[in-house]
Amino acid sequence: MLELSFRTERSTELIDITARVRDLVAEIGTGTAALIYVPHTTAAVTINEKIDPVLVEDLEVALTRLSGDPDHFRHDDKDGPNGTSHLRSTLVGPQQLIPIGPDGLALGTYQAIFFCEFDGPRDRKVYVTTL
Amino acid sequence: MLELSFRTERSTELIDITARVRDLVAEIGTGTAALIYVPHTTAAVTINEKIDPVLVEDLEVALTRLSGDPDHFRHDDKDGPNGTSHLRSTLVGPQQLIPIGPDGLALGTYQAIFFCEFDGPRDRKVYVTTL
Amino acid sequence: MLELSFRTERSTELIDITARVRDLVAEIGTGTAALIYVPHTTAAVTINEKIDPVLVEDLEVALTRLSGDPDHFRHDDKDGPNGTSHLRSTLVGPQQLIPIGPDGLALGTYQAIFFCEFDGPRDRKVYVTTL
């Protein structure tokens, strides 16, 4: 199991990690599918279109809107009230599993892997392993 | 890795692909779990109840409603503004992983696998492999 | 493939099953990742923070609110109209896949595994296997 480490910059931020995941999968060298796992409870990982930076911003805004009014959550940890961050983590989910074909990750033509920061900025990790 | 290919008929459409996935898993013949992977960014795959066609329509409507006002998305690719389609793809997700038991896919009594079209009609593919 | 069996107590209820999953993974003894699979269509499994019981209640309320007005669903099975339960099952999803490291499940410091009951009380099962 290998891992990525990085610092996020904004409170809500989708970060394209496709190239870094591809590198780790190549380093591992074998496997039928790659597991990308986020060990955090206010972050997630998704797969969506890589082409249009406007879409990424749209998704950041839409996921925030979807998670509702922050005042509806009573949870308040040492980092402040971040209930909507936890909800978005559950809705998007902490892992993706992608088949590996003869040319590596079998992502679709338009697919990229995005780390989803929902409570940044923070230091974050992503685990990558193959099955 | 095997694949299904088909054309969807409507803009939003949940299509029961359970039988076709079972056939591919039987063709592969071995494995502990079956990975069903959608290589598209405006589609997804989910597991839900197969019995009631009214429920499938309910879910199509509810997912569309949940994704919000299309005018809140600025993204507009060559196929037109389809931001809500991308959001629904991220919320439902592009893959399912189902254990394989002695009798094949260990789906629950009421579970079926549904391909989720969120921006049709289109030609679509689904990858199936076992781990 | 091993399984957990239990009865839920409330209509919507997130239940921490981390310790029971860890026990089954230890019993299986080998593997690169653990698959936790829910064979029901009005339940799900998620990963979120284990520390604060208030957060768990917040998530139960927020997922119910997010799934919308029950009257917007026409589906009505022998257990009554439970369309929002099916929607929540699709949004959260029926499985989680967690890497296994040298010390067992590679959950993050604050992560726990929660069975999500969306239509209880009911008798429920969870399948656990390793890949």
Side-chain angles (χ1 to χ4, degrees):
Chain A
M1 190 164 73
L2 300 177
E3 70 180 59
L4 300 173
S5 295
F6 48 90
R7 186 162 181 83
T8 60
E9 302 292 334
R10 293 183 284 119
S11 57
T12 295
E13 183 178 8
L14 269 59
I15 300 170
D16 186 344
I17 58 172
T18 312
R20 281 177 280 182
V21 171
R22 279 195 196 282
D23 286 349
L24 294 192
V25 170
E27 188 176 335
I28 297 169
T30 57
T32 302
L35 172 59
I36 299 105
Y37 185 84
V38 170
H40 306 290
T41 59
T42 55
V45 58
T46 192
I47 294 174
N48 216 301
E49 185 186 307
K50 64 188 168 190
I51 306 295
D52 180 9
V54 166
L55 176 63
V56 173
E57 292 174 27
D58 279 350
L59 291 172
E60 291 169 357
V61 171
L63 287 165
T64 302
R65 187 190 308 119
L66 184 80
S67 62
D69 185 340
D71 291 340
H72 286 157
F73 295 77
R74 296 169 302 147
H75 170 68
D76 189 347
D77 63 23
K78 66 178 175 8
D79 302 307
N82 62 354
T84 69
S85 311
H86 288 281
L87 176 61
R88 285 177 282 169
S89 177
T90 273
L91 290 173
V92 175
Q95 89 264 140
Q96 296 291 339
L97 183 65
I98 304 169
I100 299 175
D103 302 319
L105 289 180
L107 289 166
T109 309
Y110 298 103
Q111 286 184 322
I113 308 163
F114 291 92
F115 178 85
C116 303
E117 173 60 81
F118 294 133
D119 194 34
R122 282 178 191 269
D123 294 315
R124 297 297 200 179
K125 290 189 296 189
V126 175
Y127 300 148
V128 177
T129 191
T130 65
L131 304 174
Chain B
M1 189 164 74
L2 300 177
E3 70 180 59
L4 300 173
S5 295
F6 49 90
R7 185 161 181 84
T8 59
E9 302 292 333
R10 294 183 283 121
S11 57
T12 295
E13 185 179 7
L14 270 60
I15 301 170
D16 186 343
I17 59 171
T18 312
R20 282 177 279 182
V21 171
R22 277 195 198 281
D23 287 349
L24 294 191
V25 170
E27 188 176 336
I28 296 169
T30 57
T32 301
L35 172 59
I36 298 105
Y37 186 83
V38 170
H40 306 289
T41 59
T42 55
V45 58
T46 192
I47 293 174
N48 217 301
E49 186 185 307
K50 64 189 168 189
I51 307 296
D52 180 10
V54 166
L55 175 62
V56 174
E57 293 175 26
D58 280 350
L59 291 172
E60 291 169 356
V61 171
L63 287 165
T64 303
R65 187 190 308 120
L66 184 79
S67 62
D69 185 340
D71 292 341
H72 286 157
F73 295 77
R74 296 169 302 146
H75 170 67
D76 189 347
D77 63 21
K78 66 178 173 9
D79 303 306
N82 62 353
T84 70
S85 310
H86 288 281
L87 176 61
R88 286 177 282 169
S89 177
T90 274
L91 290 173
V92 176
Q95 89 264 139
Q96 296 290 339
L97 183 65
I98 304 168
I100 299 176
D103 302 319
L105 290 179
L107 289 167
T109 309
Y110 298 102
Q111 287 185 322
I113 308 163
F114 291 92
F115 179 86
C116 303
E117 173 60 81
F118 293 132
D119 194 36
R122 284 177 189 268
D123 294 316
R124 297 297 199 178
K125 290 189 296 190
V126 175
Y127 301 149
V128 177
T129 190
T130 65
L131 304 174
Chain C
M1 189 164 76
L2 299 178
E3 70 179 60
L4 300 174
S5 295
F6 49 90
R7 186 162 180 84
T8 60
E9 302 293 333
R10 293 182 285 120
S11 58
T12 295
E13 184 179 9
L14 269 60
I15 301 170
D16 186 343
I17 58 171
T18 312
R20 282 177 279 182
V21 171
R22 278 194 197 281
D23 287 348
L24 294 192
V25 170
E27 188 176 336
I28 296 169
T30 58
T32 302
L35 172 59
I36 299 104
Y37 185 84
V38 171
H40 306 289
T41 59
T42 55
V45 58
T46 192
I47 294 174
N48 216 302
E49 185 184 308
K50 65 189 167 189
I51 308 296
D52 180 10
V54 166
L55 175 62
V56 174
E57 293 175 26
D58 280 350
L59 291 173
E60 290 170 357
V61 171
L63 287 165
T64 302
R65 187 190 308 120
L66 184 79
S67 62
D69 185 340
D71 291 341
H72 286 157
F73 295 76
R74 296 169 303 146
H75 170 68
D76 189 347
D77 63 22
K78 66 178 175 5
D79 303 306
N82 62 354
T84 69
S85 310
H86 288 280
L87 176 61
R88 286 176 283 169
S89 176
T90 274
L91 290 174
V92 176
Q95 89 264 138
Q96 296 291 340
L97 183 65
I98 303 169
I100 299 176
D103 301 319
L105 289 180
L107 289 167
T109 309
Y110 297 103
Q111 286 185 323
I113 308 163
F114 291 92
F115 179 85
C116 303
E117 173 61 81
F118 294 133
D119 193 35
R122 283 177 191 270
D123 294 315
R124 297 298 201 178
K125 290 189 297 189
V126 175
Y127 301 149
V128 177
T129 191
T130 65
L131 304 174

mmCIF file of all heavy atoms in Angstrom, chain B residues 89-114:
data_model
loop_
_atom_site.group_PDB
_atom_site.id
_atom_site.type_symbol
_atom_site.label_atom_id
_atom_site.label_comp_id
_atom_site.label_asym_id
_atom_site.label_seq_id
_atom_site.Cartn_x
_atom_site.Cartn_y
_atom_site.Cartn_z
ATOM 1 N N SER B 89 -23.830 11.748 -11.316
ATOM 2 C CA SER B 89 -22.813 10.707 -11.505
ATOM 3 C C SER B 89 -21.927 10.584 -10.266
ATOM 4 O O SER B 89 -21.617 9.473 -9.809
ATOM 5 C CB SER B 89 -21.975 11.053 -12.741
ATOM 6 O OG SER B 89 -20.936 10.123 -12.925
ATOM 7 N N THR B 90 -21.535 11.727 -9.701
ATOM 8 C CA THR B 90 -20.695 11.713 -8.502
ATOM 9 C C THR B 90 -21.466 11.219 -7.277
ATOM 10 O O THR B 90 -20.915 10.507 -6.436
ATOM 11 C CB THR B 90 -20.092 13.119 -8.276
ATOM 12 O OG1 THR B 90 -18.882 13.210 -9.048
ATOM 13 C CG2 THR B 90 -19.763 13.393 -6.810
ATOM 14 N N LEU B 91 -22.741 11.564 -7.165
ATOM 15 C CA LEU B 91 -23.515 11.160 -5.984
ATOM 16 C C LEU B 91 -23.793 9.663 -5.965
ATOM 17 O O LEU B 91 -23.736 9.023 -4.916
ATOM 18 C CB LEU B 91 -24.840 11.931 -5.930
ATOM 19 C CG LEU B 91 -24.720 13.417 -5.602
ATOM 20 C CD1 LEU B 91 -26.075 14.086 -5.742
ATOM 21 C CD2 LEU B 91 -24.159 13.624 -4.196
ATOM 22 N N VAL B 92 -24.112 9.097 -7.112
ATOM 23 C CA VAL B 92 -24.414 7.659 -7.174
ATOM 24 C C VAL B 92 -23.119 6.863 -7.315
ATOM 25 O O VAL B 92 -22.972 5.804 -6.701
ATOM 26 C CB VAL B 92 -25.398 7.361 -8.314
ATOM 27 C CG1 VAL B 92 -25.638 5.860 -8.449
ATOM 28 C CG2 VAL B 92 -26.719 8.094 -8.076
ATOM 29 N N GLY B 93 -22.195 7.346 -8.114
ATOM 30 C CA GLY B 93 -20.880 6.716 -8.234
ATOM 31 C C GLY B 93 -20.768 5.774 -9.411
ATOM 32 O O GLY B 93 -21.762 5.169 -9.842
ATOM 33 N N PRO B 94 -19.546 5.578 -9.922
ATOM 34 C CA PRO B 94 -19.348 4.828 -11.156
ATOM 35 C C PRO B 94 -19.093 3.337 -10.980
ATOM 36 O O PRO B 94 -18.783 2.676 -11.966
ATOM 37 C CB PRO B 94 -18.114 5.509 -11.756
ATOM 38 C CG PRO B 94 -17.316 5.898 -10.558
ATOM 39 C CD PRO B 94 -18.322 6.258 -9.485
ATOM 40 N N GLN B 95 -19.180 2.827 -9.766
ATOM 41 C CA GLN B 95 -18.904 1.385 -9.652
ATOM 42 C C GLN B 95 -19.655 0.736 -8.498
ATOM 43 O O GLN B 95 -20.039 1.412 -7.538
ATOM 44 C CB GLN B 95 -17.412 1.105 -9.515
ATOM 45 C CG GLN B 95 -16.818 1.085 -8.144
ATOM 46 C CD GLN B 95 -16.195 2.392 -7.750
ATOM 47 O OE1 GLN B 95 -16.345 2.816 -6.632
ATOM 48 N NE2 GLN B 95 -15.514 3.059 -8.668
ATOM 49 N N GLN B 96 -19.837 -0.559 -8.607
ATOM 50 C CA GLN B 96 -20.344 -1.388 -7.520
ATOM 51 C C GLN B 96 -19.461 -2.619 -7.442
ATOM 52 O O GLN B 96 -18.974 -3.105 -8.471
ATOM 53 C CB GLN B 96 -21.805 -1.814 -7.754
ATOM 54 C CG GLN B 96 -22.796 -0.660 -7.789
ATOM 55 C CD GLN B 96 -23.020 0.019 -6.445
ATOM 56 O OE1 GLN B 96 -22.755 -0.566 -5.392
ATOM 57 N NE2 GLN B 96 -23.505 1.244 -6.465
ATOM 58 N N LEU B 97 -19.263 -3.105 -6.225
ATOM 59 C CA LEU B 97 -18.467 -4.312 -5.986
ATOM 60 C C LEU B 97 -19.333 -5.272 -5.185
ATOM 61 O O LEU B 97 -19.779 -4.940 -4.081
ATOM 62 C CB LEU B 97 -17.201 -3.944 -5.219
ATOM 63 C CG LEU B 97 -16.216 -5.071 -4.947
ATOM 64 C CD1 LEU B 97 -15.622 -5.614 -6.251
ATOM 65 C CD2 LEU B 97 -15.093 -4.587 -4.039
ATOM 66 N N ILE B 98 -19.596 -6.438 -5.754
ATOM 67 C CA ILE B 98 -20.559 -7.371 -5.177
ATOM 68 C C ILE B 98 -19.866 -8.702 -4.887
ATOM 69 O O ILE B 98 -19.206 -9.272 -5.772
ATOM 70 C CB ILE B 98 -21.736 -7.598 -6.159
ATOM 71 C CG1 ILE B 98 -22.382 -6.250 -6.512
ATOM 72 C CG2 ILE B 98 -22.757 -8.571 -5.583
ATOM 73 C CD1 ILE B 98 -23.355 -6.325 -7.675
ATOM 74 N N PRO B 99 -20.007 -9.215 -3.654
ATOM 75 C CA PRO B 99 -19.369 -10.507 -3.348
ATOM 76 C C PRO B 99 -19.921 -11.612 -4.249
ATOM 77 O O PRO B 99 -21.089 -11.575 -4.664
ATOM 78 C CB PRO B 99 -19.778 -10.768 -1.891
ATOM 79 C CG PRO B 99 -20.289 -9.494 -1.349
ATOM 80 C CD PRO B 99 -20.775 -8.683 -2.505
ATOM 81 N N ILE B 100 -19.084 -12.583 -4.538
ATOM 82 C CA ILE B 100 -19.511 -13.767 -5.285
ATOM 83 C C ILE B 100 -19.539 -14.935 -4.303
ATOM 84 O O ILE B 100 -18.545 -15.200 -3.625
ATOM 85 C CB ILE B 100 -18.554 -14.075 -6.452
ATOM 86 C CG1 ILE B 100 -18.544 -12.894 -7.434
ATOM 87 C CG2 ILE B 100 -18.958 -15.371 -7.159
ATOM 88 C CD1 ILE B 100 -17.552 -13.053 -8.575
ATOM 89 N N GLY B 101 -20.695 -15.568 -4.189
ATOM 90 C CA GLY B 101 -20.847 -16.731 -3.330
ATOM 91 C C GLY B 101 -20.880 -17.998 -4.161
ATOM 92 O O GLY B 101 -20.618 -17.972 -5.362
ATOM 93 N N PRO B 102 -21.231 -19.118 -3.522
ATOM 94 C CA PRO B 102 -21.259 -20.397 -4.257
ATOM 95 C C PRO B 102 -22.255 -20.387 -5.420
ATOM 96 O O PRO B 102 -22.080 -21.116 -6.396
ATOM 97 C CB PRO B 102 -21.653 -21.423 -3.182
ATOM 98 C CG PRO B 102 -22.071 -20.641 -1.976
ATOM 99 C CD PRO B 102 -21.495 -19.279 -2.086
ATOM 100 N N ASP B 103 -23.284 -19.513 -5.319
ATOM 101 C CA ASP B 103 -24.291 -19.466 -6.380
ATOM 102 C C ASP B 103 -24.139 -18.255 -7.287
ATOM 103 O O ASP B 103 -25.087 -17.838 -7.957
ATOM 104 C CB ASP B 103 -25.688 -19.465 -5.759
ATOM 105 C CG ASP B 103 -25.918 -20.682 -4.878
ATOM 106 O OD1 ASP B 103 -25.493 -21.782 -5.286
ATOM 107 O OD2 ASP B 103 -26.502 -20.530 -3.790
ATOM 108 N N GLY B 104 -22.967 -17.654 -7.295
ATOM 109 C CA GLY B 104 -22.765 -16.474 -8.129
ATOM 110 C C GLY B 104 -22.904 -15.202 -7.308
ATOM 111 O O GLY B 104 -22.648 -15.201 -6.102
ATOM 112 N N LEU B 105 -23.308 -14.112 -7.952
ATOM 113 C CA LEU B 105 -23.411 -12.815 -7.273
ATOM 114 C C LEU B 105 -24.269 -12.929 -6.018
ATOM 115 O O LEU B 105 -25.403 -13.395 -6.077
ATOM 116 C CB LEU B 105 -24.065 -11.782 -8.193
ATOM 117 C CG LEU B 105 -23.275 -11.291 -9.399
ATOM 118 C CD1 LEU B 105 -24.116 -10.291 -10.183
ATOM 119 C CD2 LEU B 105 -21.957 -10.679 -8.980
ATOM 120 N N ALA B 106 -23.713 -12.448 -4.890
ATOM 121 C CA ALA B 106 -24.434 -12.552 -3.612
ATOM 122 C C ALA B 106 -25.346 -11.349 -3.401
ATOM 123 O O ALA B 106 -25.324 -10.704 -2.352
ATOM 124 C CB ALA B 106 -23.428 -12.700 -2.473
ATOM 125 N N LEU B 107 -26.160 -11.051 -4.399
ATOM 126 C CA LEU B 107 -27.143 -9.979 -4.265
ATOM 127 C C LEU B 107 -28.217 -10.390 -3.264
ATOM 128 O O LEU B 107 -28.566 -11.569 -3.159
ATOM 129 C CB LEU B 107 -27.813 -9.709 -5.619
ATOM 130 C CG LEU B 107 -26.955 -9.035 -6.683
ATOM 131 C CD1 LEU B 107 -27.639 -9.126 -8.031
ATOM 132 C CD2 LEU B 107 -26.673 -7.578 -6.321
ATOM 133 N N GLY B 108 -28.752 -9.416 -2.532
ATOM 134 C CA GLY B 108 -29.884 -9.687 -1.669
ATOM 135 C C GLY B 108 -31.121 -10.042 -2.481
ATOM 136 O O GLY B 108 -31.176 -9.827 -3.696
ATOM 137 N N THR B 109 -32.101 -10.612 -1.785
ATOM 138 C CA THR B 109 -33.326 -11.098 -2.433
ATOM 139 C C THR B 109 -33.968 -10.063 -3.351
ATOM 140 O O THR B 109 -34.458 -10.393 -4.430
ATOM 141 C CB THR B 109 -34.355 -11.489 -1.343
ATOM 142 O OG1 THR B 109 -33.711 -12.356 -0.411
ATOM 143 C CG2 THR B 109 -35.566 -12.168 -1.957
ATOM 144 N N TYR B 110 -33.963 -8.818 -2.924
ATOM 145 C CA TYR B 110 -34.653 -7.782 -3.696
ATOM 146 C C TYR B 110 -33.719 -6.913 -4.514
ATOM 147 O O TYR B 110 -34.158 -5.968 -5.164
ATOM 148 C CB TYR B 110 -35.472 -6.897 -2.741
ATOM 149 C CG TYR B 110 -36.536 -7.673 -2.018
ATOM 150 C CD1 TYR B 110 -36.362 -8.055 -0.696
ATOM 151 C CD2 TYR B 110 -37.700 -8.056 -2.680
ATOM 152 C CE1 TYR B 110 -37.324 -8.791 -0.041
ATOM 153 C CE2 TYR B 110 -38.669 -8.790 -2.037
ATOM 154 C CZ TYR B 110 -38.478 -9.163 -0.713
ATOM 155 O OH TYR B 110 -39.435 -9.903 -0.069
ATOM 156 N N GLN B 111 -32.411 -7.209 -4.467
ATOM 157 C CA GLN B 111 -31.457 -6.319 -5.131
ATOM 158 C C GLN B 111 -31.287 -6.610 -6.623
ATOM 159 O O GLN B 111 -31.169 -7.772 -7.026
ATOM 160 C CB GLN B 111 -30.083 -6.427 -4.465
ATOM 161 C CG GLN B 111 -30.017 -5.765 -3.100
ATOM 162 C CD GLN B 111 -28.626 -5.788 -2.518
ATOM 163 O OE1 GLN B 111 -27.900 -6.771 -2.661
ATOM 164 N NE2 GLN B 111 -28.238 -4.711 -1.855
ATOM 165 N N ALA B 112 -31.234 -5.546 -7.398
ATOM 166 C CA ALA B 112 -30.865 -5.619 -8.804
ATOM 167 C C ALA B 112 -29.833 -4.531 -9.074
ATOM 168 O O ALA B 112 -29.727 -3.550 -8.330
ATOM 169 C CB ALA B 112 -32.085 -5.438 -9.694
ATOM 170 N N ILE B 113 -29.066 -4.712 -10.142
ATOM 171 C CA ILE B 113 -28.036 -3.741 -10.538
ATOM 172 C C ILE B 113 -28.632 -2.857 -11.635
ATOM 173 O O ILE B 113 -29.106 -3.361 -12.655
ATOM 174 C CB ILE B 113 -26.785 -4.469 -11.080
ATOM 175 C CG1 ILE B 113 -26.304 -5.520 -10.089
ATOM 176 C CG2 ILE B 113 -25.686 -3.480 -11.427
ATOM 177 C CD1 ILE B 113 -25.343 -6.542 -10.715
ATOM 178 N N PHE B 114 -28.593 -1.551 -11.426
ATOM 179 C CA PHE B 114 -29.147 -0.616 -12.404
ATOM 180 C C PHE B 114 -28.058 0.296 -12.971
ATOM 181 O O PHE B 114 -27.374 1.013 -12.209
ATOM 182 C CB PHE B 114 -30.212 0.270 -11.759
ATOM 183 C CG PHE B 114 -31.467 -0.450 -11.385
ATOM 184 C CD1 PHE B 114 -31.623 -0.985 -10.112
ATOM 185 C CD2 PHE B 114 -32.491 -0.616 -12.308
ATOM 186 C CE1 PHE B 114 -32.783 -1.657 -9.760
ATOM 187 C CE2 PHE B 114 -33.650 -1.297 -11.964
ATOM 188 C CZ PHE B 114 -33.804 -1.824 -10.676
#
